[in-house]
Amino acid sequence: MDKSIKAFVFDVYGTLFDVIAIKEQCEEVFPGHGDAISQAWRTKQVEYFMMRQLMGKYESFYKVTRSALKYALEDEGLESSEDIEQQLMDAYLQLPLYEESKAVLKQLQDQKLVVFSNGSHDMLDPLIDNAGIKNLLDKAVSVDEIKQFKPAPAAYQYVLDQLGVEREEILFMSSNGWDISGAKNFGFRTAWINRKGAPVEQLGLAPDFIFQDLNGLLEWE
Amino acid sequence: MDKSIKAFVFDVYGTLFDVIAIKEQCEEVFPGHGDAISQAWRTKQVEYFMMRQLMGKYESFYKVTRSALKYALEDEGLESSEDIEQQLMDAYLQLPLYEESKAVLKQLQDQKLVVFSNGSHDMLDPLIDNAGIKNLLDKAVSVDEIKQFKPAPAAYQYVLDQLGVEREEILFMSSNGWDISGAKNFGFRTAWINRKGAPVEQLGLAPDFIFQDLNGLLEWE
């Protein structure tokens, strides 16, 4: 392990946790639509927090996620209700970890481990609790504390301020292209967890490392 | 026509011009991939200018569009070249108008008509020239003049400053949900040209009017 790394900072949704796994709960409520809903929900969620950041209209990730769900269901032509939406929002607190996430966090216990998410604490804290990884982490930082969504530089500045290390002493992990680009843009070292084998974003901000999953962190010297 | 409207401001890509029509040129170069490339190209183009705005890393729409094309081709697993990319970028200057666009602009000739685009002038001006609508417009305003992409409020402020009217005297037309939301957020009156019959964005910024195509502007009182 590179000794110059003083803190490992992990994105949450899509990186430690599988957001698309929620297709199963969507499928139960809307048979035949689980895949489409889960994909559209995530796409719209990302679009909405970016839009709100661009427009200077911050709302919490909870509200953004719920709005994105409403849009996704309407776009699929499905009749919904407050109860159904609540049921699916509750499922978001029970997202599964990726297969290797917990073991990797355990292996890195002698390091400073932090999660940093666009998720507000009302979603983030129960998720981490439910997954049984709270005691494996030093800290869970949410952009909601400063109300600036990643990939705005102000968001990464905020987590840096919480850590008391230099920006180049942070290794930032995310599976999301927009997040790994934003972190690199800010000056973190970055490890892109490229779960889908996607191309590198064409933004002139290539990640320092690319791993297929989080296990790559353990093999890295 | 509502007499309190002093200027009609049109978005360009997706609103007056059909960006997805470029699938035909994509299909010629990469048979069987035209649809996928044209969709991915547009999606990534929008994502990239939003990302750059969020990160404070402005690049011209030309560069953004070319980067998005590179990504789209790579994501489709296609071998490309500078020549092929140039050929498709050149095709972007020849996008077709939607069927009704020209006739509607002609019918509104007694009004102040402006286009306002994220497109840089190197793309916007030839496009307007090639389509033969230059003489139908009072002005073509590009965000490149201020280097702030829509939907940032600064972009809409810029076009407002060019027009010499009050913000609520502007009717802004766009087919793009992110654009019509951004314009409403800034304080323009908005007419969403909802060509695809999509749901209204769940951003609390519903458009003032919704038309199926630009003809709706003519029927509106």
Side-chain angles (χ1 to χ4, degrees):
Chain A
M1 192 62 68
D2 186 330
K3 298 287 185 201
S4 68
I5 301 295
K6 301 275 175 65
F8 287 69
V9 179
F10 295 86
D11 172 53
V12 173
Y13 297 100
T15 301
L16 293 173
F17 290 86
D18 182 357
V19 289
I20 297 301
I22 205 160
K23 70 181 176 190
E24 290 179 23
Q25 286 89 342
C26 297
E27 182 69 24
E28 274 174 35
V29 185
F30 298 108
H33 296 275
D35 267 327
I37 295 168
S38 63
Q39 295 289 346
W41 189 359
R42 173 62 175 170
T43 299
K44 216 66 191 173
Q45 179 194 49
V46 173
E47 188 186 321
Y48 280 179
F49 66 65
M50 286 194 184
M51 278 292 296
R52 288 193 166 278
Q53 182 68 28
L54 286 163
M55 296 192 301
K57 284 271 202 200
Y58 182 89
E59 282 268 29
S60 77
F61 195 74
Y62 182 88
K63 288 188 184 168
V64 164
T65 301
R66 190 154 184 151
S67 298
L69 174 58
K70 270 183 203 284
Y71 185 97
L73 294 175
E74 197 180 337
D75 200 33
E76 275 289 295
L78 299 167
E79 288 271 335
S80 188
S81 70
E82 292 289 316
D83 282 355
I84 288 173
E85 284 166 29
Q86 192 59 55
Q87 183 182 336
L88 293 175
M89 286 299 294
D90 290 345
Y92 227 91
L93 308 179
Q94 307 277 353
L95 292 174
L97 288 164
Y98 283 105
E99 200 181 357
E100 82 284 9
S101 298
K102 199 168 190 169
V104 171
L105 293 175
K106 278 186 182 166
Q107 292 267 349
L108 293 171
Q109 278 304 293
D110 56 339
Q111 307 286 339
K112 186 166 198 167
L113 302 183
V114 174
V115 298
F116 176 46
S117 175
N118 274 343
S120 35
H121 282 293
D122 54 353
M123 294 181 73
L124 192 57
D125 297 346
L127 180 69
I128 288 169
D129 268 350
N130 293 336
I133 58 167
K134 190 177 178 181
N135 63 338
L136 300 176
L137 301 170
D138 291 277
K139 204 165 190 172
V141 180
S142 165
V143 304
D144 194 57
E145 297 160 25
I146 190 182
K147 306 202 186 309
Q148 302 275 347
F149 284 118
K150 298 185 282 182
Y156 302 101
Q157 179 68 56
Y158 179 72
V159 74
L160 174 60
D161 292 344
Q162 304 307 301
L163 293 175
V165 302
E166 301 298 318
R167 83 172 69 185
E168 60 278 6
E169 292 172 335
I170 287 176
L171 185 67
F172 182 81
M173 273 64 60
S174 180
S175 298
N176 299 299
W178 52 267
D179 195 13
I180 211 73
S181 303
K184 182 72 189 174
N185 176 55
F186 179 70
F188 289 160
R189 276 190 277 178
T190 55
W192 183 29
I193 312 305
N194 184 11
R195 298 184 180 279
K196 294 177 192 161
V200 173
E201 299 292 349
Q202 292 281 342
L203 288 163
L205 295 164
D208 296 293
F209 308 98
I210 303 179
F211 302 126
Q212 191 180 315
D213 59 35
L214 292 164
N215 285 312
L217 289 172
L218 305 178
E219 292 147 22
W220 173 52
E221 304 207 2
Chain B
M1 193 62 68
D2 186 329
K3 298 288 185 202
S4 68
I5 300 295
K6 301 274 175 64
F8 287 70
V9 179
F10 296 85
D11 171 55
V12 173
Y13 297 100
T15 302
L16 294 173
F17 290 87
D18 182 357
V19 289
I20 298 302
I22 206 161
K23 70 182 175 189
E24 290 179 24
Q25 286 89 342
C26 296
E27 183 70 25
E28 273 174 36
V29 185
F30 298 108
H33 297 273
D35 267 327
I37 295 168
S38 63
Q39 295 289 346
W41 189 359
R42 173 62 175 171
T43 299
K44 217 65 192 175
Q45 179 194 47
V46 173
E47 187 186 324
Y48 280 179
F49 66 66
M50 287 195 183
M51 279 292 295
R52 288 193 167 278
Q53 182 67 27
L54 285 163
M55 297 191 301
K57 283 270 201 201
Y58 182 88
E59 282 269 29
S60 78
F61 195 74
Y62 182 89
K63 288 189 183 166
V64 164
T65 301
R66 189 152 186 153
S67 298
L69 174 59
K70 270 184 204 284
Y71 185 96
L73 294 174
E74 197 179 337
D75 199 32
E76 276 290 295
L78 299 167
E79 288 271 334
S80 188
S81 68
E82 291 290 315
D83 283 354
I84 288 173
E85 284 167 28
Q86 192 59 54
Q87 183 184 335
L88 293 175
M89 286 299 294
D90 290 345
Y92 228 90
L93 308 179
Q94 308 277 353
L95 292 173
L97 288 163
Y98 283 106
E99 201 180 356
E100 82 284 9
S101 297
K102 198 168 190 169
V104 171
L105 293 175
K106 278 186 182 165
Q107 291 266 350
L108 293 171
Q109 278 304 291
D110 56 339
Q111 308 286 339
K112 186 166 198 166
L113 303 182
V114 174
V115 298
F116 175 47
S117 175
N118 275 343
S120 36
H121 282 293
D122 53 352
M123 294 180 74
L124 192 57
D125 296 347
L127 180 68
I128 288 170
D129 269 349
N130 292 337
I133 59 167
K134 190 177 177 181
N135 62 339
L136 300 176
L137 301 170
D138 291 277
K139 203 165 189 170
V141 179
S142 166
V143 303
D144 194 57
E145 296 160 27
I146 191 183
K147 306 202 186 309
Q148 302 276 346
F149 283 118
K150 299 185 282 183
Y156 302 101
Q157 180 68 56
Y158 178 73
V159 75
L160 174 60
D161 293 343
Q162 305 307 301
L163 293 174
V165 301
E166 300 298 318
R167 80 173 73 184
E168 59 279 7
E169 293 172 334
I170 287 177
L171 185 67
F172 182 80
M173 272 64 61
S174 181
S175 299
N176 299 300
W178 52 266
D179 195 12
I180 210 73
S181 303
K184 181 73 188 172
N185 177 55
F186 180 69
F188 289 160
R189 276 191 278 177
T190 55
W192 183 29
I193 312 305
N194 184 11
R195 298 184 180 280
K196 293 177 194 162
V200 173
E201 299 292 350
Q202 293 281 343
L203 288 163
L205 296 164
D208 296 292
F209 308 97
I210 304 179
F211 302 126
Q212 191 179 316
D213 59 33
L214 292 165
N215 285 313
L217 289 173
L218 305 178
E219 291 146 23
W220 173 51
E221 303 204 3

